[in-house]
């Protein structure tokens, strides 16, 4: 590992900071914090922290000693000076006289000593940084270091690899007791570069930002070199067998790792998936599986993202998907049972008072295929998968140089259920469609785009399907960072299959489909060319059937219900003159929706339709509105609001109707009219 310190970059940041009144030391603290945070071999997703001791004015202008430390859960890679809240140092140091401080009291003391009362909470390691005397302190969970210290003989390995440069602090969970222990070890052993926190990570210190940072790089490199020189070769015993593809495996995994909501009938707790494959993961799953399945986390704060153990599945042999599905469900059930037992036992040990978290796996290992990270959002799933990848590498290296050993189950529980650890995940607003995946066809059009926005705002992950790939990409960017653009021509069976494979491999499955793609053809029915009629049926009927069929296959594999939503049209029940080529397939589509509701109700899959009319969209352009209004002798406004309520209906109104149908768990075979009122088109 090489130092990424570039003098010119550092000075540039200092110069830019100076213009905003940011002191040199703080600018350099930000610089090396970003260097550390930008390397996944050192720090992942909110892990690690850095600090700086300085003199500064408090709110009343008095010059005092302060400690600046990374805010809890903040990402080091993108940190700004505000991400390092400042605290009065002296009162924190005085805490050393105490034997113990309760968590709530400690947080209160920390908050009471923030210079800016509105600043975010400081890192959970703030007291450790306060007790150590050094000006700059860096703390990471460097992978190579973890491989060396997550060992049965971690202390001996630490001495062998780092010599007297790093003191060895035995494992204690993060917080006040660890801080006391760390300063005690530091004062007793006087290490030159920093400390090892057993089964947790490494601390380096220095009088300058560069010194502390480069000591971190130097120590991580010593660990890397030790691993390179002392690794036993990996033994891979099993033969390669053809696995089922990710798109076939993912919905089975996702369904098995979801659970019925016990309060609301028909509701499920679902998670989103993120898949990782590649040769490093596959060979680790062959050689280290026993250790990975039981070994535990490589550093304590991973537990809130990955839980303590993964769910381990069998190899998904090609052509034997049913067997795999059966074994997966069994394994997932056993995982839940084990998690509940673990919670009950540990909860009893600590004397109660904790709320059990959901018992679903966050990392799933599939030998022969790869691994899945799971989370309530795609972002959470990606974080779980990132951590799992690093975890596999750390455990593998640890096994090559000795015997991997994690913290005890009791220690893992204490971290997993530590309120300060859970607080890192941030206060979450429980959105109604959290954990659900929606696929929307024709999503670059007016109604499709409005639906994508509405479903994303309700917490769903959105796949933006459109026949125009550039338009799909453009639209996905507008929806959210995690929206997935997918090219899909619903008139082409192969394109529909490929689109659903793609979104399933990406998100893990699908729960809701808004089958929206359509286009209008006209012609007097007795004279219209049959080719026109067939073309319209191809898009306005078969297009929906193909999409629904592809979705049903995935929903059945998941086994957690689902919802099909069809954009029909008032034409289905109230035909317009010369509009047969459009209205007739739409009437068939209405029947199709009812057939799905009938055939799949027992599987918990609902089917509903929206009949909308007169929406500004690709089917009713501004030019068409102008000419039709003129033909009827109406103003455009009067033409657009020519309904019982006298109100123009928008794409957003249609999107809200779809959203309502998705949320109405007891409603299927429903047609909701969104047309401002039209008695001739009324359903009943
Ligand atoms: Zn840590």
């Amino acid at each position: 590992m090489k130092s990424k310190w570039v003098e010119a970059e550092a000075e540039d940041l200092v110069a830019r900071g100076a213009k905003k009144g940011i002191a040199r030391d703080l600018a350099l603290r930000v610089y090396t914090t970003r260097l550390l945070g930008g390397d996944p071999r050192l720090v992942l997703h909110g892990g690690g922290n850095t600090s700086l001791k300085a003199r500064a004015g408090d709110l009343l202008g008095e010059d005092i000693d302060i400690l600046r430390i990374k805010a809890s859960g903040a990402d080091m890679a993108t940190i700004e000076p505000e991400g390092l809240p400042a605290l009065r140092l002296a009162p924190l140091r005085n805490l050393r006289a105490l034997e113990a401080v309760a968590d709530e009291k400690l947080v209160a003391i920390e908050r009471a000593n923030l210079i800016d009362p509105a600043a975010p909470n400081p890192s959970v390691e703030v007291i450790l940084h306060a007790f150590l005397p050094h000006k700059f302190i860096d703390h990471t969970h460097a992978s190579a270091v973890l491989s060396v210290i997550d060992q049965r003989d971690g202390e001996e390995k630490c001495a062998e690899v780092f010599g007297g440069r790093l003191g060895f602090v035995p494992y204690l969970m993060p917080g006040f007791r660890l801080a006391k222990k760390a300063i005690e070890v530091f004062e007793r052993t006087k290490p030159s570069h920093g400390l090892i926190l057993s089964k947790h990570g490494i601390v380096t210190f220095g009088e300058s930002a560069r010194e502390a940072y480069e000591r971190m790089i130097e120590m991580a490199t010593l660990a890397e070199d030790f691993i390179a020189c002392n690794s036993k070769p990996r033994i891979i015993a099993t033969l390669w067998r053809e696995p089922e593809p990710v798109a076939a495996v993912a919905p089975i995994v996702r369904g098995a790792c979801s659970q019925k909501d016990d309060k609301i009938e028909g509701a499920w707790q679902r998670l989103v998936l993120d898949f990782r494959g590649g040769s490093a993961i596959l060979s680790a799953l062959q050689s280290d599986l026993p250790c990975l399945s039981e070994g535990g986390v490589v550093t304590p704060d991973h537990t809130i993202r990955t839980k303590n153990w993964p769910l381990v599945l069998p190899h998904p042999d090609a052509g034997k998907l049913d067997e795999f599905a059966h074994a997966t469900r069994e394994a997932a059930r056993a995982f839940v049972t084990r998690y509940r037992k673990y919670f009950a036992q540990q909860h009893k040990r600590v004397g109660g008072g904790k709320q059990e978290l959901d018992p679903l796996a966050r990392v799933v290992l599939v030998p022969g295929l790869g691994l899945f990270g799971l989370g309530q959002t795609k972002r959470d799933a990606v974080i779980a998968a990132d951590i799992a990848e690093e975890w596999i590498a750390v455990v593998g290296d640890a096994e090559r140089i000795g015997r991997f050993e994690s913290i005890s189950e009791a220690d893992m529980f204490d971290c997993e259920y530590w309120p300060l650890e859970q607080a890192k995940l941030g206060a979450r607003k429980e959105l109604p469609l959290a954990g659900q995946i929606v696929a929307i066809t024709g999503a670059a059009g007016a109604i499709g785009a409005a639906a994508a926005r509405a479903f994303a705002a309700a917490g769903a992950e959105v796949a933006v399907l459109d026949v125009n790939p550039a338009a799909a990409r453009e639209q996905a960017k507008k929806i959210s960072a995690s929206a997935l653009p997918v090219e899909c021509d619903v008139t082409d069976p192969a394109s529909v299959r490929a689109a659903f494979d793609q979104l399933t491999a990406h998100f893990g499955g699908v729960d809701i489909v808004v089958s929206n793609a359509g286009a209008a053809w006209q012609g007097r029915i007795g004279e219209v060319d049959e080719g026109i009629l067939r073309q319209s049926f191809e898009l306005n009927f078969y297009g929906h059937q193909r999409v629904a069929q592809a979705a049903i296959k995935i929903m059945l594999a998941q086994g957690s219900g689902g919802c099909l939503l069809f954009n029909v049209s008032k034409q289905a029940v109230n035909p317009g003159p010369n509009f047969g080529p459009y209205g007739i397939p739409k009437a068939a589509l209405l029947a199709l929706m009812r057939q799905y509701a009938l055939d799949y109700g027992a599987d918990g899959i609902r089917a509903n339709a929206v009949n909308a009319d007169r929406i500004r969209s690709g089917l009713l352009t501004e030019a068409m509105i102008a000419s039709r209004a003129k033909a009827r002798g109406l103003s455009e406004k009067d033409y657009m609001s020519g309904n019982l309520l006298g109100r123009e209906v928008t794409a957003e109104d249609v999107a809200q109707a779809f959203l309502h149908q998705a949320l109405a768990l007891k409603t299927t075979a429903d047609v909701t009219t969104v047309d401002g009122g039209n008695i001739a088109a009324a359903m009943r």
Side-chain angles (χ1 to χ4, degrees):
M1 190 173 280
K2 293 251 179 324
S3 166
K4 291 190 178 134
W5 179 283
V6 177
E7 193 64 30
E9 275 179 14
E11 287 306 325
D12 181 53
L13 205 62
V14 168
R16 278 191 285 141
K19 285 189 197 137
K20 292 186 233 157
I22 292 162
R24 180 181 177 84
D25 280 343
L26 178 55
L28 293 174
R29 177 68 290 177
V30 167
Y31 177 59
T32 56
T33 303
R34 288 181 188 164
L35 292 183
L36 294 167
D39 191 335
R41 293 168 302 170
L42 293 170
V43 161
L44 275 179
H45 299 297
N49 44 62
T50 58
S51 69
L52 162 69
K53 296 185 184 79
R55 293 287 288 178
D58 67 6
L59 283 181
L60 300 171
E62 194 188 336
D63 218 23
I64 53 164
D65 285 326
I66 60 153
L67 170 71
R68 278 192 177 272
I69 182 155
K70 194 201 80 163
S72 182
D75 191 342
M76 286 167 67
T78 54
I79 201 136
E80 294 291 341
E82 308 79 67
L84 291 150
L87 297 100
R88 284 177 195 81
L89 182 58
L92 300 184
R93 285 209 161 139
N94 291 341
L95 292 174
R96 215 185 145 182
L98 303 177
E99 255 329 294
V101 187
D103 289 337
E104 304 75 47
K105 194 172 169 197
L106 196 60
V107 172
I109 292 169
E110 287 162 18
R111 287 218 63 84
N113 282 290
L114 282 166
I115 304 295
D116 174 1
N121 274 343
S123 157
V124 297
E125 314 280 15
V126 57
I127 304 299
L128 183 146
H129 288 256
F131 285 176
L132 288 170
H134 310 82
K135 186 165 180 170
F136 288 86
I137 298 177
D138 297 6
H139 166 53
T140 73
H141 304 151
S143 301
V145 173
L146 292 177
S147 295
V148 168
I149 62 170
D150 286 359
Q151 296 280 345
R152 280 190 197 155
D153 60 347
E155 187 164 7
E156 290 82 77
K157 284 231 160 48
C158 172
E160 188 183 346
V161 177
F162 306 111
R165 298 181 191 87
L166 301 177
F168 185 85
V169 185
Y171 181 81
L172 285 169
M173 75 177 273
F176 187 74
R177 281 173 62 223
L178 176 60
K180 291 252 304 184
K181 194 74 181 167
I183 184 67
E184 195 186 300
V185 170
F186 170 72
E187 288 177 347
R188 184 161 41 81
T189 61
K190 292 281 182 311
S192 57
H193 284 46
L195 297 168
I196 284 295
L197 308 179
S198 177
K199 310 274 171 76
H200 171 169
I202 170 173
V203 174
T204 54
F205 40 61
E207 281 316 296
S208 69
R210 184 170 186 172
E211 185 176 50
Y213 166 72
E214 289 190 337
R215 282 177 172 171
M216 180 65 74
I217 301 303
E218 189 190 337
M219 294 304 101
T221 309
L222 284 180
E224 283 179 345
D225 292 348
F226 181 83
I227 294 165
C229 296
N230 294 278
S231 281
K232 296 179 301 234
R234 197 191 279 279
I235 300 157
I236 296 173
T238 40
L239 287 170
W240 188 83
R241 308 199 302 276
E242 175 82 27
E244 281 284 341
V246 179
V249 170
I252 294 169
V253 172
R254 182 165 183 259
C257 296
S258 57
Q259 62 177 3
K260 276 189 177 150
D261 185 316
D262 24 277
K263 291 187 200 77
I264 306 162
E265 199 177 357
W268 287 78
Q269 188 195 353
R270 300 171 168 100
L271 297 169
V272 180
L273 271 53
D274 189 64
F275 176 75
R276 304 293 164 91
S279 59
I281 294 175
L282 289 180
S283 42
L285 292 184
Q286 286 197 327
S287 60
D288 302 328
L289 201 58
C291 182
L292 290 168
S293 23
E294 295 302 321
V297 293
V298 295
T299 186
D301 80 347
H302 286 180
T303 176
I304 57 168
R305 292 293 190 175
T306 62
K307 296 206 187 281
N308 302 323
W309 308 279
L311 165 63
V312 180
L313 300 180
H315 186 288
D317 285 321
K320 296 182 184 168
L321 212 50
D322 284 349
E323 272 173 44
F324 175 76
H326 179 76
T328 296
R329 285 191 288 271
E330 290 283 303
R333 266 196 293 273
F335 185 95
V336 167
T337 307
R338 181 187 181 184
Y339 187 86
R340 294 224 157 107
K341 197 170 147 211
Y342 149 79
F343 178 82
Q345 274 171 356
Q346 296 299 331
H347 197 220
K348 198 168 154 205
R349 174 183 64 85
V350 300
K354 305 279 183 193
Q355 182 72 39
E356 186 176 352
L357 299 166
D358 79 66
L360 306 174
R362 290 299 191 274
V363 175
V364 177
L365 305 183
V366 190
L369 193 71
L371 70 83
F372 291 98
L374 286 77
Q376 249 201 2
T377 61
K378 179 67 182 176
R379 167 103 192 116
D380 288 341
V382 166
I383 291 176
D386 282 348
I387 292 178
E389 270 200 71
E390 212 51 39
W391 164 72
I392 282 182
V394 169
V395 172
D397 281 344
E399 285 284 292
R400 294 296 92 69
I401 57 166
R403 185 68 355 148
F404 172 74
E405 191 180 84
S406 180
I407 52 177
S408 70
E409 204 166 283
D411 286 329
M412 287 193 243
F413 180 87
D414 290 344
C415 278
E416 187 178 4
Y417 283 88
W418 191 28
L420 302 192
E421 225 20 278
Q422 285 296 332
K424 285 187 189 172
L425 298 175
R428 277 163 191 258
K429 209 164 78 187
E430 212 32 75
L431 292 167
L433 292 180
Q436 298 208 45
I437 298 153
V438 58
I440 301 169
T441 66
I447 292 174
R453 286 193 295 274
F455 279 84
E461 297 294 344
V462 181
V464 175
L465 278 60
D466 202 276
V467 67
N468 178 343
R473 278 196 298 276
E474 200 55 38
Q475 196 53 245
K477 254 188 256 160
K478 288 186 202 155
I479 301 302
S480 73
S482 64
L484 177 76
V486 182
E487 180 179 0
C488 180
D489 176 358
V490 300
T491 64
D492 174 3
S495 172
V496 172
R497 274 196 302 274
F500 276 82
D501 279 354
Q502 188 189 337
L503 73 92
T504 303
H506 183 79
F507 286 124
V510 70
D511 306 296
I512 302 161
V513 169
V514 181
S515 189
N516 166 68
W521 280 269
Q522 297 193 42
R524 215 168 162 202
I525 199 67
E527 295 141 65
V528 72
D529 184 79
E530 191 177 308
I532 300 264
L533 200 55
R534 284 189 186 277
Q535 223 180 329
S536 182
F537 261 95
E538 209 41 65
L539 176 60
N540 292 316
F541 176 77
Y542 286 109
H544 293 276
Q545 160 64 359
R546 284 181 200 108
V547 164
Q549 213 167 43
I552 284 285
K553 189 176 163 207
I554 299 164
M555 289 171 182
L556 291 177
Q558 290 171 158
S560 52
C563 181
L564 304 173
L565 301 170
F566 298 95
N567 190 355
V568 182
S569 164
K570 72 117 195 172
Q571 297 292 333
V573 288
N574 173 214
N578 302 329
F579 230 38
Y582 181 61
I584 294 164
K586 286 291 192 181
L589 176 59
L590 188 63
L592 183 78
M593 176 277 282
R594 289 179 166 157
Q595 197 66 46
Y596 272 101
L598 181 64
D599 287 354
Y600 294 97
D603 298 293
I605 298 170
R606 299 176 296 117
N608 294 299
V610 169
N611 277 1
D613 190 26
R614 220 168 279 188
I615 316 289
R616 286 178 202 268
S617 70
L619 262 65
L620 181 61
T621 60
E622 297 300 321
M624 288 157 79
I625 293 167
S627 87
R628 287 183 194 179
K630 198 171 160 213
R632 288 171 173 78
L634 293 170
S635 72
E636 284 181 33
K637 166 95 183 72
D638 284 344
Y639 172 71
M640 289 307 289
S641 51
N643 53 48
L644 295 176
L645 294 168
R647 296 173 188 161
E648 179 176 342
V649 184
T650 66
E652 279 69 29
D653 297 321
V654 182
Q656 287 304 318
F658 280 130
L659 181 59
H660 168 76
Q661 288 178 331
L663 293 170
L665 295 173
K666 316 292 163 69
T667 296
T668 192
D670 170 60
V671 180
T672 296
T673 53
V674 187
D675 58 7
N678 174 358
I679 282 301
M683 292 303 293
R684 292 179 185 169

